[in-house]
């Protein structure tokens, strides 16, 4: 009987805290529906790796980590699914929306400067990419750079992505007036040819990779997924990428990332600081997009609703829908969805390129 209870005596308070954190992640996934496809497996994985003597850490979870995270395979495969989900049509009808996606990445480089005051270059660069509002990019960059904070960065990135509906509206309202939020932007329905839709991911891949070679894999897999969607001859593969592949890889990603969620790695004062810096990155990203739109309005005769600038973060399609709802709340006839979604998908491209820039600077 003593042998049966011997392992219970090995529990430390740190293990209990991490197991409770795992339970919290599961609760948020189920009860609050916060990124459930990722937080639920991550929560269970966190419980598994913090049980003393557990074979999960050195067994299947470690093998999954080495097979899919250490070599960036899981994040890249997930990009195929994300690319297959994205419709670049609204962006192609109004290419200038790309500018907002670029402006909304300012939080990454602002946070890089702040994080470098507390961390070394590698960890600071990895923390800064939380501002991409793109979980797979955050994981890929942090792991490629060899950051020791992958666990905390992953939790921060996906937590704040889920909290976008809470974080963005107060920032948008603080930076805009009611009159600005009521600016109407009529949407001109223009068809985009199939040839254009097919050539777009190819051109973006070539141009972005030529400018930022370190972004080649990230942008290439994202655009490959979109090419599957738009080519018109691989509908079954497109459906598989959007559903089966994306869901399966997300499960593996969540469980394997838990390898870095042990008490020794996660329960550090740095973790709270990383969470705080991640929040700063999201806020500054949102503010950067809004302020850029306000700046354009100074020189533009055709006014832009500055709220759409906030959709330049990569939280697709959540951020675009939030801006649309805020527009309707101010004016029931103010339909901003197509504009905000166009900005939102441009943010997806810009965040991947920003990740490549970070890799080229510190890789």
């Amino acid at each position: 009987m003593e042998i049966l209870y011997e392992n219970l005596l090995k529990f430390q308070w740190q293990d209990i805290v991490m197991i409770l954190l795992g339970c919290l992640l599961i609760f948020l996934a189920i009860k609050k529906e916060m990124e459930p496809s990722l937080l639920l497996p991550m929560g269970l994985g966190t419980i598994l790796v913090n049980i003393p003597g557990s074979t999960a850490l050195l067994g299947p979870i470690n093998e999954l980590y080495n097979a899919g995270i250490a070599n960036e395979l899981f994040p890249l495969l997930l990009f195929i699914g994300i690319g297959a989900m994205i419709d670049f049509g609204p962006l192609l009808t109004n290419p200038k929306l790309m500018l907002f996606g670029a402006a909304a990445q300012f939080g990454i480089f602002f946070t890089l400067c702040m994080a470098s005051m507390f961390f070394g270059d590698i960890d600071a660069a990895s923390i800064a990419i939380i501002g991409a509002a793109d979980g797979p990019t955050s994981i890929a960059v942090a792991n490629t750079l060899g950051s020791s904070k992958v666990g905390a960065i992953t939790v921060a990135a996906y937590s704040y992505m889920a909290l976008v509906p809470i974080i963005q509206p107060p920032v948008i309202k603080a930076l805009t007036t009611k009159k600005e939020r009521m600016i109407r932007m009529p949407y001109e329905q223009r068809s985009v040819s199939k040839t254009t839709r097919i050539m777009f991911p190819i051109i973006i891949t070539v141009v972005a990779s030529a400018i930022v070679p370190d972004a080649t894999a990230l942008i290439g897999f994202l655009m490959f997924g979109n090419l599957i969607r738009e080519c018109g001859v691989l509908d079954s593969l497109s459906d598989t990428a959007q559903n089966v592949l994306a869901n399966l890889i997300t499960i593996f990603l969540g469980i394997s990332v838990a390898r870095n969620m042990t008490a020794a790695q996660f329960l550090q004062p740095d973790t709270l600081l990383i969470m705080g810096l991640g929040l700063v990155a999201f806020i500054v990203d949102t503010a950067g997009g809004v302020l850029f739109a306000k700046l354009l309005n100074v020189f533009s005769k055709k006014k832009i609703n500055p709220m759409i600038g906030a959709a330049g973060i990569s939280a697709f399609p959540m951020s675009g829908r939030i801006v649309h709802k805020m527009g309707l709340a101010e004016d029931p006839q103010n339909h901003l969805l197509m504009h905000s979604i166009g900005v939102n998908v441009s943010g997806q491209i810009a965040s991947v390129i920003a990740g490549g820039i970070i890799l080229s600077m510190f890789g």
Side-chain angles (χ1 to χ4, degrees), residues 47-80:
I47 294 173
L48 292 176
V49 301
N50 285 284
I51 296 175
S54 169
T55 59
L57 179 58
L58 296 179
I61 290 180
N62 192 60
E63 290 299 320
L64 275 174
Y65 184 90
N66 291 331
I69 300 293
N71 57 12
E72 303 177 57
L73 181 62
F74 288 165
L76 291 176
L77 289 177
L78 187 55
F79 269 121
I80 296 177

Side-chain angles (χ1 to χ4, degrees), residues 89-205:
L91 177 61
L92 292 171
T93 59
N94 191 4
K96 69 180 181 182
L97 296 179
M98 282 289 291
L99 297 173
F100 296 103
Q105 308 309 311
F106 176 71
I108 295 175
F109 301 98
F110 177 83
T111 305
L112 173 60
C113 296
M114 288 191 63
S116 62
M117 298 169 61
F118 306 99
F119 298 93
D121 289 347
I122 296 300
D123 286 336
S126 302
I127 293 166
I129 206 64
I130 294 173
D134 186 345
T137 300
S138 299
I139 294 172
V141 171
N143 191 71
T144 302
L145 293 179
S147 172
S148 60
K149 312 296 182 184
V150 175
I153 289 169
T154 302
V155 171
Y158 278 99
S159 297
Y160 290 135
M161 281 177 64
L163 291 172
V164 162
I166 297 174
I167 296 172
Q168 283 203 307
V171 178
I172 295 171
K173 286 187 176 182
L175 295 174
T176 57
T177 64
K178 183 176 180 66
K179 183 178 179 180
E180 287 175 325
R181 294 194 295 272
M182 292 180 67
I183 293 175
R184 294 187 180 184
M185 296 179 64
Y187 180 72
E188 299 177 6
Q189 184 69 39
R190 287 182 290 177
S191 61
V192 180
S193 68
K194 182 177 179 179
T195 301
T196 301
R197 287 179 176 272
I198 292 174
M199 291 302 299
F200 180 75
I202 298 173
I203 293 172
I204 289 293
T205 300

Side-chain angles (χ1 to χ4, degrees), residues 275-313:
M275 296 296 287
L277 288 168
L279 179 60
V280 169
F282 265 67
I283 291 173
V284 176
D285 273 346
T286 300
V290 173
L291 293 176
F292 179 71
K294 288 167 71 78
L295 177 63
L296 289 183
N297 277 343
V298 174
F299 306 99
S300 176
K301 292 182 179 180
K302 193 174 183 179
K303 299 302 180 183
I304 300 167
N305 191 311
M307 291 197 298
I308 70 168
I313 67 171

Side-chain angles (χ1 to χ4, degrees), residues 249-271:
I249 294 300
T250 300
I251 291 173
F252 287 156
L253 192 65
I255 293 177
S256 54
V257 163
R259 176 183 179 272
N260 297 301
M261 297 289 288
T262 59
Q265 290 180 279
F266 195 85
L267 290 182
Q268 302 290 336
D270 289 349
T271 300

